[in-house]
Coordinates of all heavy atoms in Angstrom, one line a residue:
M233 N 178.2 66.8 130.4 CA 178.8 66.7 129.1 C 179.0 68.1 128.5 O 179.0 68.3 127.2 CB 178.0 65.8 128.1 CG 177.9 64.3 128.6 SD 178.2 63.1 127.4 CE 176.8 63.3 126.2
A234 N 179.1 69.0 129.2 CA 179.1 70.4 128.8 C 180.5 70.6 127.7 O 181.5 70.0 128.1 CB 179.4 71.4 129.8
G235 N 180.3 71.2 126.7 CA 181.4 71.4 125.9 C 181.7 70.2 124.9 O 182.6 70.3 124.1
M236 N 180.9 69.1 125.1 CA 181.1 68.0 124.1 C 179.8 67.9 123.2 O 178.8 68.1 123.8 CB 181.3 66.7 125.0 CG 181.7 65.6 124.0 SD 181.9 64.0 125.0 CE 180.3 63.4 124.6
F237 N 180.1 67.6 122.0 CA 178.8 67.3 121.3 C 179.3 66.2 120.3 O 180.4 65.9 120.1 CB 178.3 68.5 120.5 CG 179.3 69.3 119.7 CD1 179.3 69.1 118.3 CD2 180.1 70.1 120.2 CE1 180.1 69.9 117.5 CE2 181.1 70.9 119.5 CZ 181.0 70.7 118.1
I238 N 178.2 65.5 119.8 CA 178.4 64.3 119.0 C 178.1 64.5 117.5 O 177.1 65.3 117.2 CB 177.3 63.2 119.7 CG1 177.5 63.0 121.1 CG2 177.2 62.1 118.8 CD1 178.8 62.2 121.4
D239 N 178.8 63.9 116.7 CA 178.5 63.8 115.3 C 178.5 62.4 115.0 O 179.2 61.5 115.5 CB 179.5 64.5 114.5 CG 179.0 64.6 113.1 OD1 177.7 64.8 113.0 OD2 179.8 64.7 112.0
V240 N 177.3 62.0 114.2 CA 177.1 60.6 113.8 C 177.5 60.7 112.2 O 176.9 61.3 111.5 CB 175.7 60.0 114.1 CG1 175.4 58.7 113.5 CG2 175.4 60.1 115.6
Q241 N 178.5 59.8 111.9 CA 178.8 59.7 110.5 C 178.3 58.2 110.0 O 178.7 57.3 110.6 CB 180.2 59.9 110.3 CG 180.8 61.3 110.9 CD 182.2 61.3 110.9 OE1 183.0 60.4 110.7 NE2 182.7 62.6 111.0
V242 N 177.8 58.3 108.7 CA 177.3 57.1 108.2 C 177.8 56.9 106.7 O 177.7 57.9 106.0 CB 175.8 56.9 108.2 CG1 175.2 55.7 107.6 CG2 175.1 57.2 109.6
D243 N 178.4 55.9 106.4 CA 179.0 55.8 105.0 C 177.8 55.9 104.0 O 176.5 55.5 104.3 CB 179.4 54.3 104.9 CG 181.0 54.2 105.4 OD1 181.4 55.3 105.9 OD2 181.4 53.1 105.4
A244 N 178.0 56.6 103.0 CA 176.9 56.9 101.9 C 176.2 55.7 101.4 O 175.0 55.7 101.3 CB 177.6 57.7 100.8
A245 N 176.9 54.6 101.3 CA 176.3 53.4 100.7 C 175.3 52.9 101.7 O 174.2 52.4 101.3 CB 177.3 52.3 100.3
V246 N 175.6 52.9 103.0 CA 174.7 52.4 104.0 C 173.5 53.3 104.2 O 172.4 52.8 104.3 CB 175.6 52.3 105.4 CG1 174.6 52.1 106.5 CG2 176.5 51.0 105.2
A247 N 173.8 54.6 104.1 CA 172.8 55.6 104.3 C 171.6 55.5 103.2 O 170.5 55.9 103.4 CB 173.3 57.0 104.3
K248 N 171.9 54.9 102.1 CA 170.9 54.7 101.0 C 170.3 53.5 101.1 O 169.4 53.2 100.3 CB 171.7 54.8 99.6 CG 171.9 56.2 99.2 CD 172.5 56.3 97.7 CE 173.9 56.7 97.7 NZ 174.7 56.4 96.6
D249 N 170.7 52.5 102.0 CA 170.1 51.1 102.1 C 168.9 51.2 103.0 O 169.2 51.4 104.3 CB 171.2 50.3 102.6 CG 170.7 48.8 102.7 OD1 169.6 48.6 103.2 OD2 171.5 47.9 102.3
A250 N 167.8 51.2 102.5 CA 166.5 51.4 103.2 C 166.5 50.2 104.4 O 165.9 50.6 105.5 CB 165.4 51.2 102.3
A251 N 166.9 49.2 104.2 CA 166.7 48.0 105.3 C 167.6 48.4 106.5 O 167.3 48.3 107.6 CB 167.2 46.6 104.7
I252 N 168.8 48.9 106.2 CA 169.8 49.2 107.3 C 169.3 50.5 107.9 O 169.2 50.6 109.2 CB 171.1 49.5 106.7 CG1 171.7 48.1 106.2 CG2 172.0 49.9 108.0 CD1 173.0 48.2 105.6
A253 N 168.7 51.5 107.2 CA 168.0 52.6 107.8 C 167.0 52.4 108.6 O 167.0 52.9 109.7 CB 167.7 53.5 106.6
K254 N 166.2 51.4 108.3 CA 165.0 51.0 109.1 C 165.4 50.4 110.4 O 164.9 50.8 111.5 CB 164.2 50.0 108.4 CG 162.9 49.6 109.1 CD 162.0 48.8 108.1 CE 160.8 48.2 108.8 NZ 161.0 47.1 109.6
K255 N 166.5 49.6 110.3 CA 167.1 49.1 111.6 C 167.7 50.1 112.6 O 167.4 50.1 113.8 CB 168.3 48.0 111.2 CG 167.9 46.6 111.6 CD 168.9 45.7 110.9 CE 170.2 45.5 111.6 NZ 171.0 44.6 110.9
L256 N 168.2 51.2 111.9 CA 168.9 52.2 112.6 C 167.8 53.1 113.5 O 167.9 53.4 114.5 CB 169.8 53.1 111.8 CG 171.1 52.4 111.5 CD1 171.8 53.3 110.2 CD2 172.0 52.2 112.6
V257 N 166.7 53.2 112.6 CA 165.6 54.0 113.2 C 165.1 53.2 114.4 O 164.7 53.8 115.5 CB 164.5 54.3 112.1 CG1 163.3 54.8 112.7 CG2 165.1 55.2 111.0
E258 N 165.0 52.0 114.2 CA 164.4 51.0 115.3 C 165.4 51.1 116.5 O 164.8 51.0 117.7 CB 164.3 49.7 114.9 CG 163.0 49.5 113.9 CD 163.0 48.2 113.1 OE1 163.8 47.3 113.5 OE2 162.1 48.1 112.4
V259 N 166.7 51.0 116.3 CA 167.5 50.8 117.6 C 167.9 51.9 118.4 O 168.0 51.9 119.6 CB 168.9 50.0 117.2 CG1 168.6 48.6 116.7 CG2 169.6 50.8 116.4
C260 N 167.9 53.1 117.8 CA 168.3 54.3 118.6 C 167.3 54.7 119.5 O 166.1 55.0 119.1 CB 168.7 55.5 117.4 SG 169.2 56.9 118.4
P261 N 167.5 54.8 120.7 CA 166.7 55.2 121.7 C 166.3 56.5 121.8 O 165.3 56.9 122.5 CB 167.3 54.7 123.1 CG 168.8 54.8 122.8 CD 168.9 54.4 121.3
V262 N 167.0 57.5 121.1 CA 166.7 58.9 121.1 C 166.5 59.5 119.8 O 166.6 60.7 119.6 CB 167.9 59.7 122.0 CG1 167.9 59.2 123.3 CG2 169.2 59.4 121.2
N263 N 166.1 58.6 118.9 CA 165.5 59.1 117.5 C 166.5 59.9 116.8 O 166.1 61.0 116.2 CB 164.2 59.7 117.7 CG 163.1 58.9 118.4 OD1 163.1 57.5 117.9 ND2 162.4 59.2 119.2
I264 N 167.7 59.5 116.7 CA 168.7 60.2 115.9 C 168.6 59.9 114.5 O 168.9 60.6 113.7 CB 170.2 60.1 116.5 CG1 170.2 60.9 117.8 CG2 171.2 60.5 115.5 CD1 171.4 60.7 118.7
F265 N 168.0 58.8 114.2 CA 167.9 58.4 112.7 C 166.4 58.5 112.3 O 165.6 58.1 113.1 CB 168.4 56.9 112.6 CG 169.8 56.7 113.0 CD1 170.1 56.2 114.3 CD2 170.9 57.1 112.2 CE1 171.5 56.0 114.5 CE2 172.1 57.1 112.6 CZ 172.5 56.4 113.8
A266 N 166.3 58.9 111.1 CA 164.9 58.8 110.5 C 165.1 58.4 109.1 O 166.2 58.3 108.5 CB 164.2 60.3 110.5
Q267 N 164.0 58.2 108.3 CA 164.0 57.8 107.0 C 163.2 58.8 106.1 O 162.2 59.3 106.5 CB 163.4 56.5 106.9 CG 164.3 55.3 107.1 CD 163.7 53.9 106.9 OE1 162.8 53.6 107.6 NE2 164.2 53.3 105.9
E268 N 163.9 59.0 105.0 CA 163.2 59.8 103.9 C 162.2 59.0 103.3 O 162.0 57.8 103.5 CB 164.3 60.3 102.9 CG 165.5 61.0 103.4 CD 165.2 62.5 103.8 OE1 164.0 62.9 103.8 OE2 166.1 63.2 104.2
K269 N 161.4 59.7 102.5 CA 160.2 58.8 101.8 C 160.7 57.7 100.9 O 160.2 56.7 100.8 CB 159.4 59.9 100.8 CG 158.5 60.7 101.7 CD 157.5 61.3 100.7 CE 156.6 62.4 101.4 NZ 157.4 63.8 101.6
D270 N 161.9 58.0 100.4 CA 162.6 56.9 99.5 C 163.4 55.9 100.3 O 163.9 54.9 99.8 CB 163.6 57.5 98.4 CG 164.8 58.1 99.0 OD1 164.9 58.2 100.3 OD2 165.5 58.6 98.3
G271 N 163.2 55.9 101.7 CA 163.8 55.0 102.5 C 165.2 55.3 102.9 O 165.8 54.6 103.9
A272 N 165.9 56.3 102.3 CA 167.2 56.7 102.8 C 167.3 57.1 104.1 O 166.3 57.7 104.6 CB 167.7 57.7 101.7
L273 N 168.5 57.0 104.7 CA 168.6 57.5 106.1 C 168.7 59.0 106.2 O 169.5 59.5 105.4 CB 169.9 56.9 106.7 CG 170.2 57.0 108.2 CD1 169.3 56.2 108.9 CD2 171.6 56.6 108.4
R274 N 168.3 59.5 107.2 CA 168.3 60.9 107.5 C 168.8 61.1 109.0 O 168.3 60.5 109.9 CB 167.1 61.7 107.3 CG 167.2 63.2 107.6 CD 166.0 64.0 107.0 NE 164.7 63.5 107.6 CZ 164.3 63.9 108.7 NH1 164.8 64.8 109.4 NH2 163.1 63.4 109.1
I275 N 169.9 61.8 109.2 CA 170.3 62.0 110.6 C 169.5 63.3 111.1 O 169.3 64.4 110.5 CB 171.8 62.5 110.6 CG1 172.7 61.4 109.9 CG2 172.3 62.7 112.1 CD1 172.8 60.0 110.8
V276 N 168.9 63.1 112.2 CA 168.1 64.2 112.8 C 169.1 65.0 113.7 O 169.3 64.7 114.8 CB 166.9 63.6 113.7 CG1 166.0 64.7 114.3 CG2 166.1 62.6 112.9
E277 N 169.5 66.2 113.1 CA 170.6 66.9 113.6 C 170.0 67.4 115.2 O 170.9 67.6 116.1 CB 170.9 68.2 112.9 CG 171.2 67.8 111.4 CD 172.7 67.4 111.3 OE1 173.5 67.8 112.2 OE2 173.0 66.8 110.2
A278 N 168.8 67.8 115.3 CA 168.3 68.2 116.5 C 168.5 67.3 117.7 O 168.4 67.8 118.8 CB 166.9 68.7 116.3
N279 N 168.6 66.0 117.4 CA 168.7 65.1 118.5 C 170.0 64.6 118.8 O 170.2 63.8 119.7 CB 167.7 63.8 118.0 CG 166.2 64.2 118.1 OD1 165.8 65.3 118.5 ND2 165.4 63.3 117.4
L280 N 171.0 65.1 118.1 CA 172.3 64.6 118.1 C 172.9 64.7 119.6 O 173.6 63.8 120.2 CB 173.2 65.2 117.2 CG 173.3 64.7 115.7 CD1 174.2 65.6 114.9 CD2 173.8 63.3 115.7
D281 N 172.4 65.8 120.3 CA 172.9 66.0 121.6 C 172.3 65.1 122.7 O 172.7 65.1 123.8 CB 172.8 67.5 122.0 CG 171.4 67.9 122.1 OD1 170.4 67.2 121.6 OD2 171.2 69.0 122.5
E282 N 171.4 64.3 122.2 CA 170.6 63.2 123.0 C 171.4 61.9 123.1 O 171.0 61.1 123.9 CB 169.2 62.9 122.7 CG 168.4 64.3 122.6 CD 168.1 64.8 123.9 OE1 168.0 64.1 124.9 OE2 167.9 66.1 124.0
C283 N 172.3 61.8 122.2 CA 172.9 60.4 122.0 C 173.7 59.9 123.4 O 174.3 60.7 124.0 CB 174.1 60.6 121.0 SG 175.0 59.2 120.8
T284 N 173.3 58.7 123.6 CA 173.7 58.2 124.9 C 175.0 57.3 124.8 O 175.5 56.8 125.7 CB 172.7 57.3 125.6 OG1 172.3 56.3 124.6 CG2 171.3 58.1 125.8
L285 N 175.5 57.4 123.5 CA 176.8 56.6 123.3 C 176.5 55.1 123.5 O 177.4 54.3 124.0 CB 177.9 57.0 124.1 CG 178.3 58.6 123.9 CD1 179.5 59.0 124.9 CD2 178.7 58.8 122.5
C286 N 175.3 54.6 123.2 CA 174.9 53.2 123.6 C 175.5 52.2 122.6 O 175.6 51.0 122.8 CB 173.5 53.1 123.7 SG 172.7 53.3 122.1
D287 N 176.0 52.6 121.5 CA 176.5 51.8 120.4 C 175.6 50.9 119.7 O 176.0 50.0 119.0 CB 177.8 51.0 121.0 CG 179.0 51.9 121.1 OD1 179.0 53.1 120.8 OD2 180.0 51.3 121.6
L288 N 174.3 51.0 120.0 CA 173.3 50.0 119.3 C 173.4 50.3 117.8 O 173.1 49.3 117.1 CB 171.9 50.3 120.0 CG 171.6 49.8 121.3 CD1 170.3 50.3 121.8 CD2 171.8 48.4 121.4
C289 N 173.5 51.5 117.2 CA 173.6 51.8 116.0 C 174.7 51.1 115.3 O 174.8 50.5 114.2 CB 173.6 53.3 115.8 SG 174.8 54.2 116.5
I290 N 175.9 51.1 115.9 CA 177.1 50.5 115.6 C 177.0 49.1 115.3 O 177.5 48.5 114.3 CB 178.3 51.0 116.4 CG1 178.5 52.5 116.3 CG2 179.5 50.2 116.2 CD1 179.4 53.1 117.2
Q291 N 176.3 48.5 116.3 CA 176.1 47.1 116.2 C 175.1 46.7 115.2 O 175.1 45.5 114.7 CB 175.5 46.5 117.6 CG 176.7 46.6 118.8 CD 176.0 46.6 120.1 OE1 174.9 46.1 120.3 NE2 176.8 47.1 121.1
A292 N 174.2 47.6 114.8 CA 173.1 47.3 113.8 C 173.5 47.5 112.5 O 173.0 46.9 111.5 CB 171.9 48.2 114.1
A293 N 174.7 48.1 112.2 CA 175.0 48.3 110.8 C 176.3 47.6 110.5 O 177.0 47.1 111.5 CB 175.3 49.9 110.8
P294 N 176.6 47.5 109.3 CA 177.8 46.7 108.8 C 179.0 47.3 109.5 O 179.1 48.6 109.7 CB 177.8 47.0 107.3 CG 176.4 47.2 106.8 CD 175.8 47.9 108.1
A295 N 179.9 46.5 109.9 CA 181.2 47.0 110.7 C 181.8 48.2 110.0 O 182.0 48.3 108.8 CB 182.2 45.8 110.7
G296 N 182.0 49.2 110.9 CA 182.7 50.5 110.5 C 181.9 51.5 109.6 O 182.4 52.4 109.4
S297 N 180.6 51.1 109.4 CA 179.8 51.9 108.5 C 179.2 53.0 109.2 O 178.7 54.2 108.6 CB 178.8 51.2 107.6 OG 177.9 50.5 108.5
V298 N 179.0 52.9 110.6 CA 178.5 54.0 111.3 C 179.4 54.3 112.4 O 180.0 53.5 113.1 CB 177.2 53.6 112.1 CG1 176.7 54.7 113.1 CG2 176.2 53.2 111.0
R299 N 179.7 55.6 112.6 CA 180.8 56.1 113.5 C 180.1 57.2 114.4 O 179.6 58.1 113.8 CB 182.0 56.6 112.8 CG 182.8 55.5 112.1 CD 183.9 56.1 111.2 NE 183.3 57.0 110.3 CZ 182.7 56.5 109.0 NH1 182.6 55.2 108.8 NH2 182.2 57.3 108.2
I300 N 180.4 57.1 115.7 CA 180.0 58.1 116.6 C 181.2 58.9 116.9 O 182.2 58.3 117.5 CB 179.4 57.5 117.9 CG1 178.1 56.6 117.6 CG2 178.9 58.7 118.8 CD1 176.9 57.3 117.0
V301 N 181.1 60.2 116.5 CA 182.5 60.9 116.9 C 182.1 62.0 117.9 O 181.1 62.8 117.8 CB 182.7 61.7 115.4 CG1 184.0 62.5 115.7 CG2 182.9 60.7 114.3
K302 N 183.0 62.0 118.9 CA 182.8 63.0 120.0 C 183.7 64.2 119.7 O 184.9 64.1 119.3 CB 183.4 62.4 121.4 CG 182.5 61.2 121.9 CD 183.1 60.6 123.1 CE 182.7 59.1 123.0 NZ 183.7 58.4 124.0
L303 N 183.0 65.4 119.7 CA 183.7 66.6 119.3 C 183.8 67.5 120.7 O 182.8 67.4 121.4 CB 183.0 67.2 118.2 CG 182.8 66.5 116.9 CD1 181.7 67.1 116.0 CD2 184.2 66.3 116.2
Y304 N 184.7 68.2 120.7 CA 184.8 69.1 121.8 C 185.0 70.5 121.4 O 185.7 70.8 120.4 CB 186.1 68.7 122.8 CG 185.9 67.3 123.3 CD1 186.3 66.2 122.5 CD2 185.2 67.1 124.5 CE1 186.2 65.0 123.1 CE2 185.2 65.8 125.0 CZ 185.6 64.8 124.3 OH 185.5 63.5 124.8
E305 N 184.4 71.4 122.1 CA 184.5 72.8 121.7 C 185.7 73.4 122.1 O 186.5 72.9 123.1 CB 183.3 73.8 122.4 CG 182.1 73.4 121.6 CD 180.8 74.0 122.4 OE1 180.8 74.1 123.6 OE2 180.0 74.5 121.6
Ligands
LIG615 S1 175.0 55.6 120.1 FE1 172.9 55.0 120.6 S2 171.9 57.0 121.2 FE2 173.7 57.3 119.9 S3 173.1 57.3 117.8 FE3 173.7 55.3 118.2 S4 171.9 54.3 118.8 FE4 171.5 56.5 119.0

């Protein structure tokens, strides 16, 4: 995957929802999601390149609210 990197985009309303954030933390196999003290979702930038494109996060969140974007250099 040289030259490719991933960005994970989450709608602001979903990112503030502690219940959905908790689910995302649970499903991602490579810990791209974390939670702030107030429960809000935080994207762990350092882990983004570990994304396996498994789509579990997309299935765990309301339709269209989480997007995995493939970027190329
Ligand atoms: S596609 Fe899979 S590995 Fe990538 S962020 Fe979503 S749950 Fe994590």
Side-chain angles (χ1 to χ4, degrees):
M233 299 224 296
M236 189 181 95
F237 55 103
I238 300 288
D239 192 27
V240 177
Q241 299 174 348
V242 181
D243 285 354
V246 163
K248 274 187 254 165
D249 186 317
I252 299 174
K254 183 168 180 284
K255 246 165 83 179
L256 289 170
V257 171
E258 285 168 4
V259 297
C260 181
V262 295
N263 301 316
I264 284 171
F265 302 104
Q267 276 184 290
E268 305 287 5
K269 284 198 189 72
D270 66 359
L273 187 70
R274 178 167 61 84
I275 306 285
V276 182
E277 307 276 343
N279 291 348
L280 279 176
D281 61 351
E282 304 288 331
C283 177
T284 62
L285 305 175
C286 68
D287 281 359
L288 289 173
C289 55
I290 290 168
Q291 291 160 24
S297 63
V298 174
R299 292 170 301 280
I300 305 294
V301 184
K302 292 174 214 166
L303 303 165
Y304 298 87
E305 288 177 322

